Amino acid sequence: MNALIRTPNIAEHDLFYAELIDAQRQLGDEQADMMIAKLALILCNHVGDRQVLREAIALARENTLACAG
């Protein structure tokens, strides 16, 4: 069983972020949200490990709740 990587792990992270933002250009808010949801599901399928996915869901939820309050 693998563990969720919680340290920066994206090669050329600034370039990745720019590509992610660029992919959303000329999309409406709903389309951009749908694209991000589809990207998340594609990457979840690639990861495949249910424990890692469970940890990622929990981390994303905790972070979202912490930012909202």
Side-chain angles (χ1 to χ4, degrees):
M1 172 177 16
N2 295 318
L4 181 66
I5 298 170
R6 293 178 180 237
T7 57
N9 192 39
I10 300 173
E12 301 180 64
H13 58 274
D14 288 335
L15 179 58
F16 167 75
Y17 184 71
E19 290 170 343
L20 183 60
I21 296 303
D22 191 51
Q24 296 177 69
R25 291 196 198 292
Q26 299 179 343
L27 297 179
D29 289 346
E30 189 173 313
Q31 289 175 312
D33 289 346
M34 185 181 299
M35 190 206 87
I36 293 299
K38 288 179 180 184
L39 176 61
L41 291 173
I42 290 166
L43 293 173
C44 286
N45 183 65
H46 178 75
V47 169
D49 186 312
R50 289 283 294 122
Q51 182 57 38
V52 170
L53 296 172
R54 192 174 293 116
E55 287 181 56
I57 290 168
L59 180 61
R61 180 176 168 79
E62 290 166 15
N63 182 272
T64 299
L65 291 171
C67 291

